[in-house]
């Protein structure tokens, strides 16, 4: 059940999930072909079907299909972290299927149930961990699970890390100092916040922008790891328009923008499924305009 945490200390790519034009059919072969390309550019950790992959719009079978396509694409060199969540039966079915097709670890997605408490979330986590024999990470995006519960869970070898997606740097700094060395800590809010989480103790971060510019975001992570913070902030300034645009209107452009950008690169991932935002023609033109210099910088790194 061991997984070398050093392997997770990098850019953790969250790819969109590709659909047919009516949004009904998942196209795992499109995902597999795309991930082969980004793997060649250096991406080594992938979270297929997670938040940016429209987890809440996918069936358990579809999540497993994304995991299988990812495993096929990146081979044994890379790390595949499969998302699980929603109801217990859905989480178990997804987790078992993901393990069967080669997931290295499981990521418990943020609970979306009403009336949450640490006591209930603890029961949920422990139930899943007891029945799914893989390392676990937790995606923290709200008050539950609390940092206190995460510390408690970190006492077990099976619980290996946190995707911390609450932008309270003071709370994260205090949490990181208390759990130092006991679990992996990763910024869950991508490039905009990655440098600041890194200073506070994170060693990697999840990325959606890496789908459009994998070389740039890998260079950003390398600069952070080598404490070249001026270079890191310069690279962030290049990437930042993607993240700023995705964050508009309560992050509702998160998935739609990436799918539009991939289409401009010749990678048609189809439309996002409702209730995700559909883009207007004017918005697509705007995206194309601000992406041009970013994609030029990405291509220059390739040369």
């Amino acid at each position: 059940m061991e997984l070398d945490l050093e392997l997770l200390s990098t850019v953790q790519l969250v790819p969109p999930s590709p659909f047919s034009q009516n949004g009904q059919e998942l196209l795992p072969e499109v995902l597999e072909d795309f991930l082969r390309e980004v793997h060649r550019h250096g991406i080594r950790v992938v979270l297929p079907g997670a938040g940016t992959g429209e987890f809440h719009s996918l069936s358990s079978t579809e999540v497993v299909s994304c995991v299988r396509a990812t495993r096929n694409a990146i081979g044994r060199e890379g790390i595949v972290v499969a998302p699980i969540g929603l109801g217990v039966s859905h989480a178990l079915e997804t987790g078992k299927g993901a393990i069967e097709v080669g997931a290295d670890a499981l990521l418990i997605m943020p609970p979306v149930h009403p009336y949450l408490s640490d006591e209930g979330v603890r029961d949920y986590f422990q139930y899943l961990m007891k029945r799914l024999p893989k390392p676990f990470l937790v995606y923290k995006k709200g008050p539950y699970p609390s940092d206190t519960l995460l510390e408690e869970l970190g006492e077990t070898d099976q619980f290996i890390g946190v995707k911390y997606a609450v932008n309270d740097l003071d709370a994260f700094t205090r949490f990181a100092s208390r759990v130092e060395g006991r679990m992996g800590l990763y910024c869950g809010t991508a490039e905009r916040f990655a440098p600041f989480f890194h200073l506070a103790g994170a060693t990697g971060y999840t990325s959606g922008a890496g789908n459009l510019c994998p070389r740039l975001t890998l260079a950003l992570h390398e600069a952070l790891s080598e404490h070249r913070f001026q270079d890191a902030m310069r690279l962030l300034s290049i990437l930042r328009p993607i993240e700023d645009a995705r964050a508009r209107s309560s992050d509702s452009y998160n998935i739609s923008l990436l799918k539009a950008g991939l289409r401009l690169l010749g990678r048609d991932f189809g439309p996002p499924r409702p209730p995700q935002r559909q883009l207007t023609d004017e918005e697509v033109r705007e995206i194309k305009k601000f992406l041009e210099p970013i994609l030029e910088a990405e291509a220059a790194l390739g040369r």
Side-chain angles (χ1 to χ4, degrees):
M1 194 181 293
E2 289 187 5
L3 179 61
D4 185 354
L5 290 182
E6 285 296 317
L7 299 176
L8 294 172
S9 296
T10 184
V11 175
Q12 302 175 4
L13 187 74
V14 189
S17 297
F19 303 127
S20 58
Q21 289 306 310
N22 62 9
Q24 297 299 307
E25 183 184 357
L26 179 75
L27 304 176
E29 66 280 2
V30 173
L31 179 63
E32 184 174 337
D33 184 63
F34 169 69
L35 290 175
R36 289 186 195 281
E37 179 183 357
V38 294
H39 181 69
R40 286 195 296 271
H41 295 330
I43 294 293
R44 291 294 179 268
V45 177
V46 181
L47 285 63
T52 298
E54 298 183 63
F55 175 80
H56 297 88
S57 298
L58 299 177
S59 68
S60 175
T61 300
E62 288 176 325
V63 174
V64 173
S65 293
C66 289
V67 174
R68 181 188 293 108
T70 305
R71 180 86 281 163
N72 291 343
I74 68 175
R76 297 314 308 182
E77 291 180 27
I79 302 296
V80 182
V81 181
I84 63 172
L86 301 175
V88 167
S89 60
H90 186 283
L92 277 179
E93 181 182 354
T94 307
K96 288 175 181 177
I99 291 170
E100 287 176 4
V101 299
D104 298 292
L106 303 173
L107 173 70
I108 303 181
M109 298 293 286
V112 295
H113 314 69
Y115 320 125
L116 288 169
S117 66
D118 262 355
E119 290 76 9
V121 171
R122 179 193 293 109
D123 291 343
Y124 178 78
F125 287 177
Q126 291 179 340
Y127 184 91
L128 295 174
M129 292 170 71
K130 187 179 296 185
R131 288 161 177 79
L132 296 169
K134 279 290 178 181
F136 273 75
L137 296 95
V138 167
Y139 185 171
K140 176 180 171 63
K141 200 172 175 62
Y144 302 105
S146 69
D147 290 356
T148 301
L149 177 55
L150 292 173
E151 288 181 61
E152 176 189 324
L153 293 170
E155 298 293 339
T156 68
D157 292 338
Q158 193 176 3
F159 180 84
I160 64 168
V162 180
K163 176 183 174 181
Y164 205 103
V166 177
N167 291 324
D168 182 339
L169 269 297
D170 179 59
F172 177 74
T173 300
R174 288 184 278 113
F175 174 68
S177 69
R178 293 194 300 269
V179 303
E180 184 177 7
R182 287 164 44 201
M183 64 182 74
L185 299 175
Y186 315 106
C187 171
T189 47
E191 285 83 356
R192 272 197 309 163
F193 295 94
F196 315 106
F197 273 86
H198 191 92
L199 284 170
T203 61
Y205 58 86
T206 54
S207 175
N211 290 286
L212 304 178
C213 41
R215 298 182 186 94
L216 279 169
T217 193
L218 286 166
L220 168 59
H221 182 268
E222 182 179 33
L224 291 173
S225 299
E226 295 177 356
H227 299 168
R228 292 184 285 108
F229 297 115
Q230 187 172 355
D231 282 347
M233 297 308 288
R234 177 184 59 81
L235 289 160
L236 176 58
S237 71
I238 299 171
L239 285 162
R240 189 179 178 107
I242 296 175
E243 293 303 290
D244 286 344
R246 291 173 73 209
R248 291 179 302 180
S249 300
S250 301
D251 296 322
S252 64
Y253 287 84
N254 189 311
I255 296 162
S256 307
L257 186 149
L258 292 179
K259 287 197 165 185
L262 285 167
R263 191 173 300 115
L264 292 170
L265 290 171
R267 297 277 183 180
D268 193 348
F269 272 54
R273 284 176 173 170
Q276 295 300 324
R277 178 185 288 274
Q278 307 297 320
L279 299 180
T280 66
D281 290 343
E282 182 179 351
E283 288 171 328
V284 172
R285 287 191 292 271
E286 176 195 352
I287 290 166
K288 181 179 181 180
K289 183 176 180 179
F290 77 70
L291 277 182
E292 285 176 353
I294 302 173
L295 297 178
E296 287 174 6
E298 169 73 10
L301 283 180
R303 292 193 292 269

